[in-house]
Amino acid sequence: MHAVVVGAGIIGLATAWTLADRGWAVTIVDPRPGEGASYAAAGMLAPASEVVWGQSPLHPLMRASADQYPVFAERLAAASGHDLGYTQTETLVCAADVADMASLRELSALQRSLGETVELISGTSARTLEPALGPGVSAAVRIGGDHSIDPRRVTAALIALMSGSIVRRHAVALVSDGRRTRGVALDNGQNIQADQVVICAGADTGSIEGMPDVPVRRVWGDVVRLSAPQRLQPLVTRTIRALVRGRAVYLVPRTDGSLVLGATTREDELAGISAGGVHQLLRDIEQVVPGVLECEITDVTARARPGSPDDLPLIGRVDDGCVVSTGYFRHGILLAPLGARLTADLAAGEAGDAETLSIVASDRFAPATRKEERV
Ligand SMILES: Cc1cc2nc3c(=O)[nH]c(=O)nc-3n(C[C@H](O)[C@H](O)[C@H](O)COP(=O)(O)OP(=O)(O)OC[C@H]3O[C@@H](n4cnc5c(N)ncnc54)[C@H](O)[C@@H]3O)c2cc1C
């Protein structure tokens, strides 16, 4: 059996790897593998600190995928020989002032009610753990189960494993025989035939001709990479997240000593880096880890997160020959092990986790007649 996977972000690559592992021949189509949203991502694997009010179906998915991460990362590191920058060090969520402390306290109650282990500590205790925290930090929450990985290293490892299968072209359209998808048409006029086409094109999923309406939208994020001067290293030893007058900001230390500062969330038309966004990130992190302003900026990136109406992924069958997997929004790195397995199960026609698949069904927002209209 042969699958064409369109999109070599973390979701397409991990799905392709899973299918290849199950004996499928796989072709991956992407003009710029690994350079979509996955290139910008900070790589926080944070099922507890990503909890927000009103998103109860999302947390079990995040928790399930987080539980699969140690095995996923170990298998990928062993198969590729790459260091993925995976660390199981805890996360510290800080409150920049007293009002933020009240929000943090409410959020930690919600996290606890969902079964996460979180511990509220004073600002002084937080500074004992991380001396670089600023004097204004009034309290913090320790979250032992929120970890991180370097997404650029993850995609590089997957690309290395799948390199012989990657075609660096744009897929412009689905190829159909009128009843079902039979392959994809590329921007050089070639067609690739396949038993299954798997669309993992992130925020660009809607641009492929023949695809049904998938309600995915671009939610831009700006992110800054930094390097601390030798005298300040390590600036922080665990992921620092914070609320600064209600705005979220984070600083993720990488195993190579670099730091990732993120991230804005904007739905404007600016496809490049937002000057105001970067200014805001630096202003907010100054309240929490002032030493960041003494660091060197090594990289600034803006990419579009593939957002869905309810922030849950959109995974489902388009027709007998095509599956879609997108809408991972701000959790695609965390959700990759789970999403890749669900997508591969669906593509391969294997009995998967039907309950989870119904929660993430790609046609859950479409009227009942929609599928008929598409045919
Ligand atoms: C600033 C920022 C920070 C983030 N931080 C985190 C984090 O800490 N933790 C976390 O879990 N998630 C995070 N995310 C979210 C995460 O990055 C995404 O959810 C995830 O990368 C989505 O993966 P994907 O493979 O679906 O999409 P992408 O990585 O965008 O990949 C899609 C691929 O499809 C290709 N493509 C598109 N159209 C076509 C076509 N027609 N033909 C061929 N190829 C095509 C693109 O070139 C691209 O390579 C962050 C995102 C951003 C922007």
Side-chain angles (χ1 to χ4, degrees):
M1 300 293 276
H2 177 218
V4 172
V5 177
V6 175
I10 194 165
I11 300 301
L13 287 165
T15 302
W17 185 46
T18 307
L19 283 168
D21 201 40
R22 295 182 190 180
W24 281 61
V26 181
T27 305
I28 305 167
V29 177
D30 193 322
R32 288 177 295 278
E35 292 186 32
S38 306
Y39 187 73
M44 291 176 294
L45 309 173
S49 39
E50 285 291 328
V51 162
V52 294
W53 297 98
Q55 284 190 338
S56 40
L58 181 58
H59 178 261
L61 305 188
M62 295 198 293
R63 175 40 57 209
S65 204
D67 291 343
Q68 291 168 27
Y69 240 98
V71 172
F72 173 79
E74 195 184 314
R75 281 192 60 230
L76 180 55
S80 65
H82 286 217
D83 171 0
L84 308 177
Y86 181 46
T87 149
Q88 292 178 300
T89 312
E90 70 176 5
T91 291
L92 205 56
V93 189
C94 303
D97 64 22
V98 179
D100 291 318
M101 190 164 93
S103 308
L104 204 61
R105 194 164 277 153
E106 281 176 22
L107 205 56
S108 58
L110 175 63
Q111 290 159 344
R112 247 184 235 114
S113 75
L114 292 169
E116 296 291 345
T117 306
V118 302
E119 183 195 354
L120 193 64
I121 60 172
S122 67
T124 308
S125 303
R127 272 181 292 277
T128 307
L129 293 172
E130 291 291 351
L133 290 178
V137 169
S138 52
V141 174
R142 291 180 82 166
I143 306 184
D146 282 3
H147 306 142
S148 73
I149 199 161
D150 185 340
R152 291 184 183 178
R153 290 179 180 228
V154 174
T155 52
L158 287 163
I159 289 168
L161 279 174
M162 306 300 296
S163 60
S165 311
I166 299 179
V167 175
R168 289 179 180 257
R169 308 286 335 179
H170 246 102
V172 290
L174 298 182
V175 174
S176 166
D177 64 6
R179 287 184 303 116
R180 59 173 282 181
T181 301
R182 294 285 178 190
V184 290
L186 307 185
D187 57 355
N188 61 356
Q190 277 185 346
N191 286 357
I192 304 180
Q193 298 211 325
D195 299 294
Q196 290 291 318
V197 173
V198 186
I199 303 292
C200 303
D204 294 325
T205 295
S207 68
I208 299 164
E209 201 185 309
M211 275 296 287
D213 290 337
V214 178
V216 66
R217 68 185 201 285
R218 291 184 172 79
V219 185
W220 295 97
D222 305 284
V223 68
V224 180
R225 283 168 167 81
L226 303 138
S227 157
Q230 202 59 42
R231 68 188 161 78
L232 289 182
Q233 285 206 20
L235 186 61
V236 292
T237 57
R238 38 173 82 61
T239 293
I240 306 295
R241 302 177 66 126
L243 282 177
V244 181
R245 277 176 274 293
R247 283 184 306 273
V249 66
Y250 57 73
L251 190 65
V252 182
R254 290 267 184 261
T255 50
D256 64 4
S258 62
L259 299 157
V260 184
L261 164 64
T264 59
T265 301
R266 51 186 178 84
E267 295 194 47
D268 53 24
E269 294 307 308
L270 196 62
I273 295 153
S274 158
V278 172
H279 180 220
Q280 185 78 66
L281 290 175
L282 290 168
R283 220 166 45 187
D284 285 347
I285 201 66
E286 185 186 11
Q287 304 299 309
V288 186
V289 185
V292 166
L293 296 196
E294 294 180 52
C295 294
E296 179 185 337
I297 291 181
T298 54
D299 177 296
V300 188
T301 307
R303 290 290 189 277
R305 304 174 183 91
S308 75
D310 58 3
D311 300 347
L312 264 75
L314 297 152
I315 308 174
R317 200 155 258 302
V318 172
D319 63 31
D320 289 346
C322 182
V323 163
V324 63
S325 183
T326 183
Y328 289 83
F329 192 38
R330 55 173 78 251
H331 310 112
I333 308 304
L334 168 61
L335 292 176
L338 179 81
R341 190 171 48 76
L342 290 173
T343 310
D345 287 346
L346 206 56
E350 289 169 22
D353 175 350
E355 193 186 332
T356 305
L357 278 169
S358 75
I359 293 169
V360 297
S362 56
D363 61 358
R364 66 186 181 275
F365 301 103
T369 55
R370 192 59 160 258
K371 269 197 168 154
E372 304 306 316
E373 285 167 10
R374 280 178 206 149
V375 174

